[in-house]
Amino acid sequence: MSAGTEKIDVTVADVTPVNELVTRFRFVRSDGGPMPTFSGGAHTVVEMQDGGRTRLNPYSLMSDPADRSGFSISVRRDDAGRGGSLYMHTKVHQGMKMVVSNPVNLFSLDLRARKHLMIAGGIGITPFMAQIKQLTAMNGNFELHYAVRTAALATYADELHATHPTRVHIYHDDRGEAIKLERLLDGQPLGTHLYVCGPKGMIAWVRKSAEELGWPREAVHHEEFLAPASGKPFEVKLALSNKVIKVGENQSLLEAIEEAGVDAPYLCRGGACGQCETDVIGYDGKFLHNDHWLTDDQKSGGKKIMPCVSRFEGKTLVLDR
Amino acid sequence: MIETTITPSIASRPVYSRLEPRPGKAHLLIADAEGAEAILALAEVAPRDFFAQAHIIHIRKTTAGTYTERLRGLKPSQFYSGPTYEAAVPRIRRTLLGAHMGLQVYLAGTESLMGQAMQEAAQAGIPYGAIQAEHRGSTARRMQCVHCKGITEDVTTDPFVCSHCGLHLFVRDHYSRRLAAFQGVRVDAEDPGNIPEPVERFR
Amino acid sequence: MTINFNDETFYGDFTFRNSPKAVQRFPFPFPEDSYMYSVNLEPHKSYRPGSVYERTFDVDEHYVAEMKDRARVLADDPLRCQSLPHMTLAGWDLVELIMTAKAEEYPDLFELHRDGDRWRWINRPLGIDDTFTFLDETTLPYGPMEYITRQTQGDFAILDQRDDNLWMDAGMVTTQADWSLDFDIGMNFFEWHAPVPKAHEMGVFVRALKFLLNIQQGAPARRLNWTMTINPLLDTSPENYHKWGAMKQELTAENVGRMMHLRVELQTLFRLPRSNALVFPIRCYLIRLEDLVTVPKWGRRFHRVIRDLPVELATYKGFVNNRPKIVEWLSKYDDGAPTSPGIWPD
């Protein structure tokens, strides 16, 4: 059973450029009904019909979970990417009909925490927007440290700081301001949970520092939407469905399977959650494992692949789909 | 000293392993009786500055002064040697209250000590998975009577008598971390009065 | 639609009875002549009008009596309903889920009026008319989970999803098949299933957990589980085992049909939106064997299932000692004829 089978027909209510790189999109239900509520940190998977090819991209919900009138997401334009953000910025306009998934949460708050310590980098601010609104409504204890490149690109920083002046700290890279991570992680009360969302390098830095300072794994949460890597096209045989598919250069294996009309489970579409794990029946070639899910043994074992982000090079690959 | 004789069984039955030094800003080590041996073994592989940031709490029980000087000799920044777990609880709670993220917790000794100390640490906000536990010494069990909810300490036979309600209970391996106890269920529920001869299973 | 609610007991004098309609719609769980554990989860979609699978939360003739029995069990032992502090939000999610479903599917019995956060809930069968503020537990007589589950048939476990695992951090458990909420609350998925024999080695729980972690908002799932009970006793808890355990000795070759009951759990799973938790309702249906065998296919099949069940399962399900008597009695209803696949009567 695929995730995202529960879809919502929406109309684009607003397209608002926030700054030079980031645009906010607001979706309302096309039938006028209330949106489902959700837990802060959840994302929605937006379906894009881009010149005959269907893309499914996850975006964090940044709107207030208690606001049932619509969903808001913010997308950072990445010209060098696979085209999803470009599509959003150039093709999506007010009034357009689209399809989004029910909210899915792989980055939820641990409600047992005495304190929620949040570290955001760039567009990684979006899931925290919703979490902060949720925590504020429940008198929760949070603290946000938000690293931005410049004031002009400090998406939502002014609004956050104005609403929560003592809890929100902004660090402008062009002013030489940087998060003093070791000092920040020192002296936090027991029962603090740490959340990080931002570029890959920042996440790795925060997780490694926390581990070295003795923070338990269970208290450190992160979310990173890995974009599927591009690569040489390759051919795959789907044994169960008896089909042969070609995976394009800028297309993920999962997308190619879906394009062939074969139902494959997925959830995060970013190599982290394990739901799309697929058995390999046979192969002659080399795997390019780009996920964070399989163990090293599994990656070298040649019996499994995560089609959402990983690729293959070689003569044949036969999958159990 | 012999190490643990506890073997894994069902999924809820805790498993224990050797303590190892982990990176952290402070280290809290709590042990009872022969659990001190686990701390002494840890000291042989710990980095040089480990004990300068360590707080050792040792509950002597019947081992009297056997370990006190050797533990003190590790030169921990704080040291407590006390007679029983109950007497140590206020100190454990106060320590956890003042602690911060980056505290590593190491438990060693009987399951009863480790289970109860784990309750205190979890209550203070430390995830269970982050707490190390090495079994040493007695395998006597802390049992909860599922009928009256009373806890019977130091159970060595199966079946045993609930120290609260007097029912004869058989010993299950099903364990609750929240209660720090194994489950005891009436042994003659289906055939009242038919109580098997108790067998010594733990020491 | 009107339902005639039975005035019956599940305790003491055991006046519980299934009407012929209830017997016909009983959720017989065996699609084939033998049984072994499996994940057997399917989408919880509505089908077969009139069946137990039609509604989100099935309400039947036993509703009022079951709620009375629950109140009795809770008065005797309040520890059957517990909620760890961080689970209150999930309790509210459950209030919304049950109230909206029942008001929509049984409009003659339940009504929900919402004005922003001011909600008015009317439960006609139980004579309840309460107004409260959603998300403010000081405006309800009980915590939200306890409030709504005192009005809904079946047990409820609410599972917090953390660390790639599920944690049973809240529950209302008064009709369970022999497990203790007070003992198991706080355990994770593998731990609370620890006592189940064979299933762990079979990898059933690893596969099941992966599926459960993936359950999405708007896409609930369901499965069936089963055991047997002497007398229509809903409260077969370990806490009271010393009170009901001895009933097993009262079974004789003559009274099997009357005393022995098949007990089926219709288990459903819903993702809760605000808390991201999973709620696991466990709805218990009972049928006396002498009523069960009035459906010829079920009589034949059940005989074969019980006769051939592996001994570890019969032991774990608590009827291994009485199995010979039960099989002997059931054999009268099995002429060896072939049975059609699937659970429905022919």
Side-chain angles (χ1 to χ4, degrees), chain A residues 291-308:
Chain A
D291 65 286
H292 294 318
W293 175 257
L294 296 175
T295 64
D296 289 338
D297 282 342
Q298 284 176 314
K299 285 183 180 175
S300 53
K303 293 216 170 62
K304 290 202 183 277
I305 186 170
M306 308 305 291
C308 61

Side-chain angles (χ1 to χ4, degrees), chain A residues 91-108:
Chain A
K91 300 272 173 51
V92 174
H93 56 83
Q94 191 179 36
M96 192 165 148
K97 300 263 188 271
M98 295 185 79
V99 177
V100 303
S101 75
N102 258 338
V104 174
N105 200 337
L106 299 171
F107 187 53
S108 57

Side-chain angles (χ1 to χ4, degrees), chain C residues 79-92:
Chain C
L79 293 174
R80 305 297 187 85
C81 180
Q82 297 186 48
S83 175
L84 298 185
H86 60 283
M87 298 302 282
T88 307
L89 185 61
W92 283 111

Side-chain angles (χ1 to χ4, degrees), chain B residues 19 28-40 55-61 63 67 71 79-85 88 92 105-110 112-114 117 132 134-136:
Chain B
L19 298 179
L28 175 61
L29 303 103
I30 305 176
D32 69 346
E34 293 89 356
E37 306 254 355
I39 297 180
L40 295 167
H55 181 169
I56 297 179
I57 293 179
H58 182 240
I59 288 137
R60 299 186 299 268
K61 290 174 80 172
T63 60
Y67 296 106
L71 289 174
F79 180 74
Y80 168 91
S81 171
T84 63
Y85 178 73
I92 291 171
V105 177
Y106 310 77
L107 308 177
T110 60
S112 170
L113 176 280
M114 293 193 290
Q132 292 192 64
E134 179 174 342
H135 175 256
R136 296 275 190 145

Side-chain angles (χ1 to χ4, degrees), chain C residues 126-179:
Chain C
L126 297 184
I128 289 171
D129 185 346
D130 285 338
T131 302
F132 60 94
T133 303
F134 190 72
L135 294 179
D136 182 354
E137 55 263 34
T138 63
T139 62
L140 276 180
Y142 306 99
M145 178 192 70
E146 183 172 353
Y147 176 79
I148 196 59
T149 55
R150 275 179 177 265
Q151 302 176 48
T152 316
Q153 289 169 280
D155 285 341
F156 289 80
I158 309 189
L159 314 174
D160 198 15
Q161 182 155 325
R162 308 187 303 264
D163 220 25
D164 289 322
N165 211 327
L166 294 170
W167 304 80
M168 190 186 305
D169 285 356
M172 165 69 88
V173 179
T174 61
T175 72
Q176 73 278 50
D178 204 15
W179 58 278

Side-chain angles (χ1 to χ4, degrees), chain A residues 40-268:
Chain A
H43 66 267
T44 182
V45 179
V46 176
E47 231 171 75
M48 303 171 214
Q49 302 301 336
D50 187 7
R53 129 116 49 100
T54 308
R55 283 185 206 286
L56 294 166
N57 273 20
Y59 294 107
S60 294
L61 290 166
M62 56 164 284
S63 41
D64 188 340
D67 175 12
R68 310 287 289 266
S69 65
F71 283 168
S72 294
I73 64 172
S74 287
V75 180
R76 183 190 186 284
R77 202 178 78 219
D78 179 8
D79 294 339
R82 296 185 328 133
S85 66
L86 258 186
Y87 176 90
M88 291 299 296
H89 280 253
T90 58
K91 300 272 173 51
V92 174
H93 56 83
Q94 191 179 36
M96 192 165 148
K97 300 263 188 271
M98 295 185 79
V99 177
V100 303
S101 75
N102 258 338
V104 174
N105 200 337
L106 299 171
F107 187 53
S108 57
L109 294 167
D110 189 321
L111 293 178
R112 303 167 302 161
R114 292 230 161 107
K115 178 175 173 181
H116 305 271
L117 183 59
M118 302 165 169
I119 299 182
I123 198 61
I125 190 61
T126 44
F128 296 123
M129 302 288 293
Q131 289 183 337
I132 285 171
K133 295 202 168 80
Q134 179 181 342
L135 286 170
T136 303
M138 8 182 323
N139 291 319
N141 183 9
F142 73 90
E143 194 178 294
L144 169 70
H145 296 263
Y146 178 19
V148 300
R149 273 207 261 148
T150 67
L153 293 173
T155 317
Y156 304 120
D158 290 339
E159 170 193 320
L160 283 165
H161 197 268
T163 322
H164 308 281
T166 57
R167 295 181 187 274
V168 170
H169 309 267
I170 316 287
Y171 304 80
H172 302 86
D173 188 41
D174 66 338
R175 297 180 200 170
E177 296 164 357
I179 296 174
K180 293 182 172 45
L181 189 58
E182 192 174 317
R183 213 162 101 197
L184 180 61
L185 296 183
D186 192 23
Q188 295 293 343
L190 274 189
T192 300
H193 279 251
L194 177 63
Y195 308 82
V196 54
C197 184
K200 199 183 170 108
M202 174 190 236
I203 293 178
W205 168 60
V206 170
R207 292 177 73 199
K208 182 158 185 289
S209 307
E211 188 187 337
E212 285 169 358
L213 292 167
W215 283 61
R217 187 188 46 82
E218 297 91 328
V220 182
H221 314 274
H222 72 281
E223 180 157 73
E224 182 198 349
F225 289 122
L226 260 187
S230 300
K232 292 206 290 260
F234 60 99
E235 206 174 80
V236 179
K237 176 152 196 274
L238 302 178
L240 274 186
S241 342
N242 200 21
K243 288 183 177 182
V244 174
I245 60 171
K246 242 213 164 87
V247 180
E249 192 180 326
N250 286 316
Q251 183 186 44
S252 75
L253 173 52
L254 177 62
E255 286 166 341
I257 292 171
E258 290 167 340
E259 195 174 77
V262 174
D263 190 33
Y266 69 86
L267 194 55
C268 76

Side-chain angles (χ1 to χ4, degrees), chain B residues 10-13 128 144 146-149 167 170 172 174-179 181-186 189-192, chain C residues 77 79 82 84 167 180 182-188 190-192 194-195 200 238-242 245-246 248-249 321:
Chain B
I10 59 175
S12 58
R13 202 245 180 281
Y128 285 119
Q144 192 211 39
V146 78
H147 310 289
C148 78
K149 309 296 174 179
L167 284 176
F170 69 90
R172 294 188 84 189
H174 197 35
Y175 180 85
S176 161
R177 265 185 319 239
R178 188 183 73 97
L179 300 168
F182 291 90
Q183 192 178 66
V185 181
R186 181 169 178 177
E190 296 188 15
D191 187 5
Chain C
D77 183 6
L79 293 174
Q82 297 186 48
L84 298 185
W167 304 80
S180 165
D182 182 53
F183 196 77
D184 286 7
I185 191 169
M187 289 190 191
N188 69 40
F190 302 111
E191 290 164 351
W192 85 69
H200 289 269
E239 282 83 353
N240 286 333
Y241 179 46
H242 54 322
K248 295 188 189 184
Q249 292 187 323
N321 292 337

